[in-house]
Amino acid sequence: MSRFSGFGLIKQAFRHQEHWQRMWRNPKPRKHYDIIIVGGGGHGLATAYYLASVHDKVNVAVIEKGWIGGGNTGRNTTIVRSNYLWDEAAQLYEHAMQLWEGLSQELNYNVMFSQRGVMNLGHTLQDMRDIQRRVNANRLNGIDGEVLDARQCAEIVPIMDCSGNTRYPILGASWQPRAGVARHDAVAWGFARGADSYGVDILQQTEVTDIVIEDGAAVGVETAQHGRIGADRIGCVTAGNSGVLAGYAGFELPIESHPLQAYVSEPIKPILDTVVMSNAVHGYMSQSDKGDLVIGAGIDGYVGYGQRGSYPVIEHTMQAILELFPVVSRVHMNRQWGGIVDTTPDACPIISKTPVENLFFNCGWGTGGFKATPGSGHVFADMLATGEPNDLSRAFDYWRFHSGALIDEHGAAGVAH
């Protein structure tokens, strides 16, 4: 793989941009791999990249039923933060944040990570008590965080209605300056390009239809396009479809799959240089580098796999955004979409062995998946390489829902998912 550089850009300009190297190969699958990763989203590709770059595991395949970046990786609102409440979650997301901060250099690919800060608003005295608690917990874990009053919120975001005349007046907010956004497509492409450069096979348009189990151990997968592909270990990173994959292996996961909606506006001049989130009115917004207003909603109340969502959620989120930002009332919306999130009872992921030997699952990230991408891939790669959890992933065991050792992060979510 050739490295991107300023000199390379000039060289390709003289060649009319017609001789760029392909980002990754489309190889024919081998009969057997050391490790198969089911799911070619950000987490699966990051896992493959770190398996190759950190653990020297290159006989690896990533199997994706669609195309790279076509699932949740390309269907989110791109927010990156690590201001979670409980130690286990905060440390995992902070590990991801530290990887984000050097990711473009690591991958030699610009993932457009912009540390523009994330603000979580408080509208009631209880909100402010929760914010104070979370910021104090963050600081004890070495994570940056501040408590802002209404005046400071208005200084950072002048277009926000911080008057006392609103239905939910803004009393203050938590503020994480190191948080921000990244370009979701670029993250998937960067990890795919990096993994391919080490020799990892990326198999697109290949749907896994079954997990092959012999004597209680996973030994391969059945695919619709290429038949059986053998493997010594299998890691499933399929977000909302994780329950389906677990069913193939004969056990159940404590997750529910819900549509999660978002939409973007027409491009406008810069008016918002940070991310603003509110639990009480239930909406959050940032502005992309192209000028689009990126607006996030909540999950639909029903369980399903439809990537469309429902009108009531759109209407409710529009109402929330207009309460916070009356200035955008005449801005036109360009498009709307939905992704399928996998939610656990404690709003924390499962990164774990399973009842089937040599079969591992990384799922249950709910609405926090994109922000964790490099950290998730890093710890899951370690688990697939060694067969055991490490200090960061140990608490996210599948069996915690049997023992009761939950990590209840529902209270620390930026919005009420």
Side-chain angles (χ1 to χ4, degrees), residues 43 47 89 92-93 235-239 242-243 246 251-256 342-355 359-366 369 372 376-377 379-380 383 389 392-402 405-407:
H43 289 223
T47 301
L92 179 59
Y93 282 100
C236 294
V237 201
T238 54
S242 296
F251 64 94
E252 293 184 356
L253 289 170
I255 63 171
E256 289 184 342
D342 43 330
T343 58
T344 62
D346 63 356
C348 276
I350 297 169
I351 311 172
S352 178
K353 299 179 180 180
T354 69
L359 180 63
F360 302 78
F361 266 77
N362 182 350
C363 61
W365 288 93
S376 167
V379 299
F380 197 47
M383 182 176 290
L392 283 172
S393 62
R394 187 168 288 109
F396 301 95
D397 192 81
Y398 165 80
W399 285 275
R400 75 178 186 271
F401 299 100
H402 295 264
L406 306 183
I407 312 163

Side-chain angles (χ1 to χ4, degrees), residues 38-39 63-66 203-210 221-229 241 244-245 248:
V38 183
I63 300 180
E64 167 57 42
K65 72 174 182 179
L203 310 177
Q204 299 181 80
Q205 306 295 336
T206 302
E207 182 177 4
V208 171
T209 57
D210 201 4
V221 297
E222 288 285 351
T223 67
Q225 290 76 15
H226 303 292
R228 180 173 296 190
I229 304 174
N241 289 302
V244 176
L245 269 294
Y248 293 159

Side-chain angles (χ1 to χ4, degrees), residues 72-322:
N72 283 359
T73 301
R75 290 175 169 269
N76 61 79
T77 49
T78 75
I79 297 171
V80 176
R81 61 186 177 91
S82 61
N83 56 347
Y84 280 71
L85 177 63
W86 299 108
D87 292 350
E88 299 88 349
Q91 290 163 9
L92 179 59
Y93 282 100
E94 178 61 18
H95 178 60
M97 177 69 78
Q98 293 174 9
L99 291 171
W100 276 112
E101 290 175 322
L103 192 60
S104 292
Q105 291 76 16
E106 166 81 13
L107 297 177
N108 182 231
Y109 195 86
N110 185 10
V111 299
M112 303 182 192
F113 179 46
S114 171
Q115 291 178 287
R116 59 186 66 181
V118 169
M119 181 184 297
N120 295 100
L121 300 177
H123 301 273
T124 66
L125 289 176
Q126 186 59 49
D127 283 349
M128 295 308 299
R129 293 187 186 104
D130 292 340
I131 283 171
Q132 186 73 61
R133 179 191 184 201
R134 180 151 50 91
V135 168
N136 288 341
N138 292 160
R139 288 179 173 177
L140 288 172
N141 277 308
I143 298 170
D144 59 316
E146 303 173 29
V147 178
L148 306 179
D149 58 26
R151 178 186 57 82
Q152 292 170 307
C153 292
E155 290 176 353
I156 295 173
V157 188
I159 66 168
M160 188 163 58
D161 187 353
C162 294
S163 70
N165 302 321
T166 58
R167 182 166 60 135
Y168 294 99
I170 295 170
L171 302 185
S174 69
W175 171 246
Q176 187 181 15
R178 288 170 57 238
V181 297
R183 174 65 187 271
H184 43 24
D185 295 325
V187 174
W189 300 335
F191 273 122
R193 177 175 176 268
D196 179 83
S197 72
Y198 283 97
V200 171
D201 285 353
I202 298 174
L203 310 177
Q204 299 181 80
Q205 306 295 336
T206 302
E207 182 177 4
V208 171
T209 57
D210 201 4
I211 295 175
V212 183
I213 299 174
E214 296 178 359
D215 298 324
V219 296
V221 297
E222 288 285 351
T223 67
Q225 290 76 15
H226 303 292
R228 180 173 296 190
I229 304 174
D232 295 334
R233 284 179 181 159
I234 300 170
C236 294
V237 201
T238 54
N241 289 302
S242 296
V244 176
L245 269 294
Y248 293 159
F251 64 94
E252 293 184 356
L253 289 170
I255 63 171
E256 289 184 342
S257 298
H258 293 261
L260 174 65
Q261 297 187 65
Y263 40 92
V264 298
S265 76
E266 61 187 343
I268 60 175
K269 291 182 178 180
I271 60 170
L272 182 64
D273 60 358
T274 186
V275 181
V276 179
M277 313 179 77
S278 173
N279 190 4
V281 299
H282 203 181
Y284 56 100
M285 187 169 79
S286 63
Q287 189 168 18
S288 74
D289 295 336
K290 296 186 296 182
D292 308 346
L293 297 177
V294 183
I295 299 170
I299 61 173
D300 283 280
Y302 58 89
V303 175
Y305 294 96
Q307 293 176 322
R308 180 176 60 183
S310 62
Y311 289 112
V313 171
I314 298 174
E315 183 179 19
H316 177 76
T317 306
M318 287 286 192
Q319 179 185 11
I321 293 302
L322 290 180

